PDB file of all heavy atoms in Angstrom:
ATOM      1  N   GLN A 460      69.398   5.382 -19.117  1.00 98.00           N
ATOM      2  CA  GLN A 460      68.756   6.724 -19.327  1.00 98.00           C
ATOM      3  C   GLN A 460      68.214   7.096 -17.937  1.00 98.00           C
ATOM      4  O   GLN A 460      67.340   6.420 -17.273  1.00 98.00           O
ATOM      5  CB  GLN A 460      67.670   6.645 -20.412  1.00 98.00           C
ATOM      6  CG  GLN A 460      66.797   7.843 -20.439  1.00 98.00           C
ATOM      7  CD  GLN A 460      67.557   9.105 -21.093  1.00 98.00           C
ATOM      8  OE1 GLN A 460      68.748   8.941 -21.493  1.00 98.00           O
ATOM      9  NE2 GLN A 460      66.908  10.181 -21.123  1.00 98.00           N
ATOM     10  N   LEU A 461      68.579   8.300 -17.439  1.00 98.00           N
ATOM     11  CA  LEU A 461      68.002   8.821 -16.243  1.00 98.00           C
ATOM     12  C   LEU A 461      67.267  10.091 -16.567  1.00 98.00           C
ATOM     13  O   LEU A 461      67.742  11.148 -16.846  1.00 98.00           O
ATOM     14  CB  LEU A 461      69.123   9.186 -15.222  1.00 98.00           C
ATOM     15  CG  LEU A 461      69.912   7.947 -14.785  1.00 98.00           C
ATOM     16  CD1 LEU A 461      71.185   8.332 -13.918  1.00 98.00           C
ATOM     17  CD2 LEU A 461      69.044   7.008 -13.937  1.00 98.00           C
ATOM     18  N   ASP A 462      65.878   9.962 -16.720  1.00 98.00           N
ATOM     19  CA  ASP A 462      65.032  11.086 -17.044  1.00 98.00           C
ATOM     20  C   ASP A 462      63.902  11.057 -16.028  1.00 98.00           C
ATOM     21  O   ASP A 462      63.003  10.284 -16.113  1.00 98.00           O
ATOM     22  CB  ASP A 462      64.516  10.915 -18.484  1.00 98.00           C
ATOM     23  CG  ASP A 462      63.660  12.147 -18.887  1.00 98.00           C
ATOM     24  OD1 ASP A 462      63.532  13.104 -18.068  1.00 98.00           O
ATOM     25  OD2 ASP A 462      63.135  12.154 -20.010  1.00 98.00           O
ATOM     26  N   MET A 463      63.914  11.988 -15.056  1.00 98.00           N
ATOM     27  CA  MET A 463      62.911  12.154 -13.982  1.00 98.00           C
ATOM     28  C   MET A 463      63.233  11.166 -12.877  1.00 98.00           C
ATOM     29  O   MET A 463      62.870   9.930 -13.063  1.00 98.00           O
ATOM     30  CB  MET A 463      61.514  12.051 -14.499  1.00 98.00           C
ATOM     31  CG  MET A 463      61.271  13.218 -15.496  1.00 98.00           C
ATOM     32  SD  MET A 463      59.623  13.032 -16.315  1.00 98.00           S
ATOM     33  CE  MET A 463      58.455  13.335 -14.972  1.00 98.00           C
ATOM     34  N   THR A 464      63.898  11.553 -11.819  1.00 98.00           N
ATOM     35  CA  THR A 464      64.336  10.638 -10.771  1.00 98.00           C
ATOM     36  C   THR A 464      63.913  11.094  -9.364  1.00 98.00           C
ATOM     37  O   THR A 464      64.214  10.366  -8.437  1.00 98.00           O
ATOM     38  CB  THR A 464      65.886  10.451 -10.747  1.00 98.00           C
ATOM     39  OG1 THR A 464      66.442  11.736 -10.436  1.00 98.00           O
ATOM     40  CG2 THR A 464      66.421   9.934 -12.046  1.00 98.00           C
ATOM     41  N   ASN A 465      63.243  12.259  -9.299  1.00 98.00           N
ATOM     42  CA  ASN A 465      63.161  12.716  -7.907  1.00 98.00           C
ATOM     43  C   ASN A 465      61.690  12.939  -7.406  1.00 98.00           C
ATOM     44  O   ASN A 465      61.513  13.428  -6.299  1.00 98.00           O
ATOM     45  CB  ASN A 465      63.939  14.064  -7.829  1.00 98.00           C
ATOM     46  CG  ASN A 465      64.254  14.366  -6.385  1.00 98.00           C
ATOM     47  OD1 ASN A 465      64.492  13.474  -5.617  1.00 98.00           O
ATOM     48  ND2 ASN A 465      64.323  15.690  -6.085  1.00 98.00           N
ATOM     49  N   TYR A 466      60.689  12.658  -8.215  1.00 98.00           N
ATOM     50  CA  TYR A 466      59.242  12.796  -7.779  1.00 98.00           C
ATOM     51  C   TYR A 466      58.740  11.480  -7.367  1.00 98.00           C
ATOM     52  O   TYR A 466      58.648  10.575  -8.181  1.00 98.00           O
ATOM     53  CB  TYR A 466      58.456  13.501  -8.832  1.00 98.00           C
ATOM     54  CG  TYR A 466      56.973  13.506  -8.678  1.00 98.00           C
ATOM     55  CD1 TYR A 466      56.451  14.685  -8.013  1.00 98.00           C
ATOM     56  CD2 TYR A 466      56.127  12.610  -9.161  1.00 98.00           C
ATOM     57  CE1 TYR A 466      55.111  14.718  -7.733  1.00 98.00           C
ATOM     58  CE2 TYR A 466      54.713  12.669  -8.977  1.00 98.00           C
ATOM     59  CZ  TYR A 466      54.256  13.792  -8.252  1.00 98.00           C
ATOM     60  OH  TYR A 466      52.851  13.881  -8.120  1.00 98.00           O
ATOM     61  N   ASN A 467      58.344  11.346  -6.148  1.00 98.00           N
ATOM     62  CA  ASN A 467      58.036  10.102  -5.542  1.00 98.00           C
ATOM     63  C   ASN A 467      56.460   9.935  -5.605  1.00 98.00           C
ATOM     64  O   ASN A 467      55.900  10.296  -4.536  1.00 98.00           O
ATOM     65  CB  ASN A 467      58.606   9.948  -4.201  1.00 98.00           C
ATOM     66  CG  ASN A 467      58.537   8.552  -3.656  1.00 98.00           C
ATOM     67  OD1 ASN A 467      57.850   7.643  -4.249  1.00 98.00           O
ATOM     68  ND2 ASN A 467      59.108   8.251  -2.518  1.00 98.00           N
ATOM     69  N   GLY A 468      55.880   9.533  -6.608  1.00 97.00           N
ATOM     70  CA  GLY A 468      54.429   9.534  -6.683  1.00 97.00           C
ATOM     71  C   GLY A 468      53.718   8.239  -6.725  1.00 97.00           C
ATOM     72  O   GLY A 468      52.477   8.210  -6.887  1.00 97.00           O
ATOM     73  N   SER A 469      54.467   7.231  -6.511  1.00 96.00           N
ATOM     74  CA  SER A 469      53.727   5.796  -6.614  1.00 96.00           C
ATOM     75  C   SER A 469      54.112   4.965  -5.399  1.00 96.00           C
ATOM     76  O   SER A 469      55.126   5.314  -4.696  1.00 96.00           O
ATOM     77  CB  SER A 469      54.271   5.067  -7.854  1.00 96.00           C
ATOM     78  OG  SER A 469      53.818   5.702  -8.995  1.00 96.00           O
ATOM     79  N   ASP A 470      53.386   3.979  -5.172  1.00 96.00           N
ATOM     80  CA  ASP A 470      53.771   2.980  -4.139  1.00 96.00           C
ATOM     81  C   ASP A 470      54.979   2.267  -4.466  1.00 96.00           C
ATOM     82  O   ASP A 470      55.805   1.878  -3.554  1.00 96.00           O
ATOM     83  CB  ASP A 470      52.603   2.117  -3.730  1.00 96.00           C
ATOM     84  CG  ASP A 470      52.032   1.425  -4.876  1.00 96.00           C
ATOM     85  OD1 ASP A 470      52.359   1.703  -6.021  1.00 96.00           O
ATOM     86  OD2 ASP A 470      51.219   0.420  -4.657  1.00 96.00           O
ATOM     87  N   TRP A 471      55.239   1.970  -5.705  1.00 97.00           N
ATOM     88  CA  TRP A 471      56.524   1.494  -6.169  1.00 97.00           C
ATOM     89  C   TRP A 471      57.607   2.573  -6.133  1.00 97.00           C
ATOM     90  O   TRP A 471      57.370   3.679  -6.564  1.00 97.00           O
ATOM     91  CB  TRP A 471      56.493   0.868  -7.553  1.00 97.00           C
ATOM     92  CG  TRP A 471      55.739  -0.328  -7.754  1.00 97.00           C
ATOM     93  CD1 TRP A 471      55.368  -1.163  -6.729  1.00 97.00           C
ATOM     94  CD2 TRP A 471      55.363  -0.940  -8.924  1.00 97.00           C
ATOM     95  NE1 TRP A 471      54.777  -2.345  -7.267  1.00 97.00           N
ATOM     96  CE2 TRP A 471      54.702  -2.123  -8.666  1.00 97.00           C
ATOM     97  CE3 TRP A 471      55.417  -0.573 -10.221  1.00 97.00           C
ATOM     98  CZ2 TRP A 471      54.157  -3.017  -9.549  1.00 97.00           C
ATOM     99  CZ3 TRP A 471      54.887  -1.348 -11.228  1.00 97.00           C
ATOM    100  CH2 TRP A 471      54.283  -2.586 -10.888  1.00 97.00           C
ATOM    101  N   ASP A 472      58.850   2.220  -5.632  1.00 98.00           N
ATOM    102  CA  ASP A 472      59.878   3.218  -5.698  1.00 98.00           C
ATOM    103  C   ASP A 472      60.479   3.475  -7.109  1.00 98.00           C
ATOM    104  O   ASP A 472      60.975   4.522  -7.453  1.00 98.00           O
ATOM    105  CB  ASP A 472      61.034   2.792  -4.801  1.00 98.00           C
ATOM    106  CG  ASP A 472      60.557   2.724  -3.330  1.00 98.00           C
ATOM    107  OD1 ASP A 472      59.869   3.676  -2.878  1.00 98.00           O
ATOM    108  OD2 ASP A 472      60.804   1.706  -2.648  1.00 98.00           O
ATOM    109  N   MET A 473      60.462   2.452  -7.912  1.00 98.00           N
ATOM    110  CA  MET A 473      61.014   2.582  -9.203  1.00 98.00           C
ATOM    111  C   MET A 473      60.383   1.694 -10.224  1.00 98.00           C
ATOM    112  O   MET A 473      59.758   0.627  -9.915  1.00 98.00           O
ATOM    113  CB  MET A 473      62.521   2.074  -9.071  1.00 98.00           C
ATOM    114  CG  MET A 473      63.437   2.919  -9.980  1.00 98.00           C
ATOM    115  SD  MET A 473      65.152   2.377  -9.906  1.00 98.00           S
ATOM    116  CE  MET A 473      65.745   3.249  -8.518  1.00 98.00           C
ATOM    117  N   VAL A 474      60.218   2.220 -11.430  1.00 97.00           N
ATOM    118  CA  VAL A 474      59.557   1.492 -12.580  1.00 97.00           C
ATOM    119  C   VAL A 474      60.521   1.335 -13.716  1.00 97.00           C
ATOM    120  O   VAL A 474      61.141   2.298 -14.142  1.00 97.00           O
ATOM    121  CB  VAL A 474      58.391   2.385 -12.916  1.00 97.00           C
ATOM    122  CG1 VAL A 474      57.741   1.845 -14.204  1.00 97.00           C
ATOM    123  CG2 VAL A 474      57.333   2.432 -11.820  1.00 97.00           C
ATOM    124  N   MET A 475      60.645   0.103 -14.215  1.00 97.00           N
ATOM    125  CA  MET A 475      61.481  -0.176 -15.347  1.00 97.00           C
ATOM    126  C   MET A 475      60.564  -0.055 -16.539  1.00 97.00           C
ATOM    127  O   MET A 475      59.575  -0.762 -16.722  1.00 97.00           O
ATOM    128  CB  MET A 475      62.044  -1.606 -15.269  1.00 97.00           C
ATOM    129  CG  MET A 475      63.477  -1.816 -15.227  1.00 97.00           C
ATOM    130  SD  MET A 475      64.521  -0.615 -14.355  1.00 97.00           S
ATOM    131  CE  MET A 475      64.705  -1.424 -12.771  1.00 97.00           C
ATOM    132  N   MET A 476      60.930   0.985 -17.506  1.00 96.00           N
ATOM    133  CA  MET A 476      60.155   1.031 -18.725  1.00 96.00           C
ATOM    134  C   MET A 476      60.416  -0.170 -19.607  1.00 96.00           C
ATOM    135  O   MET A 476      61.617  -0.462 -19.896  1.00 96.00           O
ATOM    136  CB  MET A 476      60.413   2.292 -19.443  1.00 96.00           C
ATOM    137  CG  MET A 476      59.942   3.568 -18.675  1.00 96.00           C
ATOM    138  SD  MET A 476      58.146   3.467 -18.440  1.00 96.00           S
ATOM    139  CE  MET A 476      57.890   5.146 -17.653  1.00 96.00           C
ATOM    140  N   SER A 477      59.360  -0.835 -19.999  1.00 94.00           N
ATOM    141  CA  SER A 477      59.557  -2.059 -20.867  1.00 94.00           C
ATOM    142  C   SER A 477      59.529  -1.812 -22.328  1.00 94.00           C
ATOM    143  O   SER A 477      59.905  -2.709 -23.034  1.00 94.00           O
ATOM    144  CB  SER A 477      58.528  -3.166 -20.430  1.00 94.00           C
ATOM    145  OG  SER A 477      57.241  -2.658 -20.713  1.00 94.00           O
ATOM    146  N   ASP A 478      59.070  -0.608 -22.760  1.00 93.00           N
ATOM    147  CA  ASP A 478      59.098  -0.441 -24.143  1.00 93.00           C
ATOM    148  C   ASP A 478      60.323   0.517 -24.637  1.00 93.00           C
ATOM    149  O   ASP A 478      60.809   1.290 -23.832  1.00 93.00           O
ATOM    150  CB  ASP A 478      57.759   0.131 -24.681  1.00 93.00           C
ATOM    151  CG  ASP A 478      57.299   1.365 -23.928  1.00 93.00           C
ATOM    152  OD1 ASP A 478      57.899   1.696 -22.820  1.00 93.00           O
ATOM    153  OD2 ASP A 478      56.340   2.079 -24.389  1.00 93.00           O
ATOM    154  N   PHE A 479      60.716   0.260 -25.805  1.00 93.00           N
ATOM    155  CA  PHE A 479      62.004   0.910 -26.397  1.00 93.00           C
ATOM    156  C   PHE A 479      63.187   0.639 -25.488  1.00 93.00           C
ATOM    157  O   PHE A 479      64.015   1.515 -25.332  1.00 93.00           O
ATOM    158  CB  PHE A 479      61.734   2.333 -26.581  1.00 93.00           C
ATOM    159  CG  PHE A 479      60.538   2.743 -27.539  1.00 93.00           C
ATOM    160  CD1 PHE A 479      59.309   2.851 -27.123  1.00 93.00           C
ATOM    161  CD2 PHE A 479      60.966   2.828 -28.884  1.00 93.00           C
ATOM    162  CE1 PHE A 479      58.342   3.192 -28.004  1.00 93.00           C
ATOM    163  CE2 PHE A 479      59.878   3.187 -29.816  1.00 93.00           C
ATOM    164  CZ  PHE A 479      58.538   3.343 -29.422  1.00 93.00           C
TER     165      PHE A 479
END
Side-chain angles (χ1 to χ4, degrees):
Q460 171 71 3
L461 297 172
D462 184 3
M463 300 171 63
T464 62
N465 202 33
Y466 173 84
N467 191 352
S469 294
D470 53 349
W471 285 348
D472 297 313
M473 216 181 275
V474 169
M475 239 37 97
M476 290 302 184
S477 61
D478 52 346
F479 297 91

